[in-house]
Amino acid sequence: MRGVWCFVFLIVLLLPLVARGDCDCSVDEEGRDKKKALPLKIAAIFSILVCGGIGVCIPILGKWIPALRPDKDIFFVIKAFAAGVILATGFIHILPDAFENLTSPCLQSSPWQDFPFAGFGAMVAAVGTLMIDTLATGYFNRLHRNKMRTTLSDETNGDVEKTSDGLDHVHTHATHGHAHGSTMMDSEDASAQLIRNRVISQVLELGIIVHSVIIGISLGASEVPSTIRPLVAALSFHQFFEGMGLGGCIVQAKFKARSIVPMGLFFSLTTPVGIAIGIGIASVYDENSPTALIVEGCLNSVASGILIYMALVDLLAADFMNPRVQSKARLQFMINVSLLVGAGLMSLLAKWA
């Protein structure tokens, strides 16, 4: 999975380099000020980097702060808020941008005006995420189950060799078999959930990375201060709570430090790196060129499909149907309110970003 991240990351970074001005659509020069825009972009890099880093670290700090641990009610509330942010990001921010890009008048009317490619891309991405989710989970579950059976078989054979009395052997073996079977079932259930959480965290980060790079490049290539200012605040908020959602998944996946650190850094650096790339290619990048519109539109549609699926299926459905949540009416009410507030605030930000 780490290799897939690196491949997608490199592809997304290299694609904007071919998006140069090859379209007759005029570029809006009003409000452009390169000198004023550059300090805002630099401020955006540091603001988004800090907010993203803090957001992804807060759930991880649950190891030392009892209130933030996954077995506490507040964890479900925070995660529901973050899931609402991610859901609104997919529906309100990314998917409309994909439709706008892929139906732009700068593109040929056929085939781009004849078929809803943005919606189709989101659907394919959601179904593809489902397939990857289930296939990866099933594969790792089978792998772990085979290891458990091998271990159990070795332990049973050891018990047989150590038993000398035939009658006692039957009783002892049955007793051990029952104990081992019960232990094995409990261990398999726990391991299956752990594997599921690890797959969720990695697929979620993949979807976040795709759209974060696009957002960063768009901001970095912009030279209109009036556009950049609201984006800095909006993206900092967005990155903070998106980081909390990802951080919560990482905590539940129980990764070791050597995996947590790269995942946290990768998430925190993606948008700032995208901004830096946007600054570097601002002189040749034309957001209205057909190549740029098609690339951004396709990637946005894919990212929206991934995030919508992950938010609804892997984050919200899993937590809302959790026995702990189902048994507490007050907690149910709190996470529903938290979800609506998170989605509502992120939707409101669409006015400025």
Side-chain angles (χ1 to χ4, degrees):
M1 185 64 74
R2 188 174 299 175
V4 174
W5 292 348
C6 295
F7 175 76
V8 172
F9 189 62
L10 288 174
I11 291 295
V12 172
L13 294 185
L14 292 175
L15 282 172
L17 298 180
V18 300
R20 301 189 179 199
D22 54 358
C23 179
D24 293 330
C25 292
S26 60
V27 179
D28 185 11
E29 298 289 340
E30 185 179 355
R32 286 179 176 269
D33 191 330
K34 191 172 183 179
K35 290 183 178 179
K36 289 184 178 179
L38 184 58
L40 291 173
K41 295 176 189 179
I42 295 173
I45 289 176
F46 288 101
S47 175
I48 293 171
L49 177 63
V50 171
C51 289
I54 293 173
V56 78
C57 285
I58 286 177
I60 297 173
L61 292 175
K63 291 183 177 181
W64 300 277
I65 303 174
L68 297 177
R69 289 177 182 170
D71 58 348
K72 301 295 183 181
D73 289 353
I74 189 65
F75 182 85
F76 288 96
V77 176
I78 293 173
K79 195 176 171 187
F81 184 94
V85 170
I86 294 172
L87 185 63
T89 298
F91 272 121
I92 307 299
H93 292 259
I94 307 178
L95 191 56
D97 286 347
F99 274 103
E100 183 179 354
N101 289 334
L102 296 179
T103 57
S104 171
C106 292
L107 298 177
Q108 294 181 357
S109 58
S110 180
W112 302 106
Q113 305 292 337
D114 300 334
F115 186 79
F117 285 99
F120 179 75
M123 180 190 70
V124 170
V127 173
T129 305
L130 170 65
M131 292 179 178
I132 293 172
D133 203 358
T134 54
L135 290 174
T137 303
Y139 170 76
F140 287 114
N141 277 333
R142 289 191 297 271
L143 195 65
H144 179 76
R145 195 177 296 116
N146 290 335
K147 289 181 180 179
M148 289 289 294
R149 286 173 179 168
T150 302
T151 303
L152 178 61
S153 178
D154 293 341
E155 290 178 357
T156 303
N157 290 336
D159 289 341
V160 172
E161 290 174 1
K162 291 177 182 179
T163 303
S164 58
D165 190 309
L167 182 61
D168 288 341
H169 164 69
V170 174
H171 175 74
T172 305
H173 183 70
T175 305
H176 277 294
H178 177 74
H180 282 310
S182 177
T183 303
M184 182 179 176
M185 289 180 62
D186 292 341
S187 179
E188 283 187 357
D189 290 342
S191 298
Q193 187 58 47
L194 182 63
I195 290 169
R196 174 81 176 143
N197 289 333
R198 290 186 173 181
V199 171
I200 288 171
S201 62
Q202 293 178 0
V203 175
L204 177 60
E205 181 157 21
L206 184 63
I208 291 173
I209 285 171
V210 172
H211 86 86
S212 293
V213 172
I214 298 171
I215 291 172
I217 291 173
S218 299
L219 191 153
S222 175
E223 294 179 349
V224 182
S226 61
T227 300
I228 298 173
R229 285 192 191 96
L231 275 175
V232 175
L235 292 180
S236 297
F237 173 88
H238 165 264
Q239 200 78 350
F240 176 77
F241 286 105
E242 208 167 52
M244 288 184 68
L246 178 62
C249 291
I250 291 174
V251 168
Q252 289 182 313
K254 297 181 181 178
F255 284 112
K256 294 181 179 179
R258 65 171 180 239
S259 297
I260 293 175
V261 172
M263 290 181 74
L265 286 175
F266 213 55
F267 165 78
S268 302
L269 291 172
T270 302
T271 304
V273 168
I275 296 173
I277 293 172
I279 294 172
I281 65 173
S283 59
V284 297
Y285 181 79
D286 180 9
E287 63 181 8
N288 290 323
S289 71
T291 304
L293 290 169
I294 293 170
V295 168
E296 288 185 19
C298 290
L299 290 177
N300 275 330
S301 66
V302 169
S304 67
I306 294 173
L307 293 183
I308 290 168
Y309 169 86
M310 296 300 295
L312 289 174
V313 178
D314 288 335
L315 299 180
L316 293 174
D319 282 355
F320 276 53
M321 299 306 294
N322 187 290
R324 181 187 181 91
V325 175
Q326 291 286 310
S327 63
K328 296 183 177 182
R330 182 171 175 271
L331 179 57
Q332 275 189 311
F333 175 78
M334 289 173 64
I335 64 172
N336 276 280
V337 171
S338 183
L339 167 63
L340 293 174
V341 171
L345 289 176
M346 196 63 203
S347 299
L348 185 63
L349 285 178
K351 180 176 176 63
W352 299 280

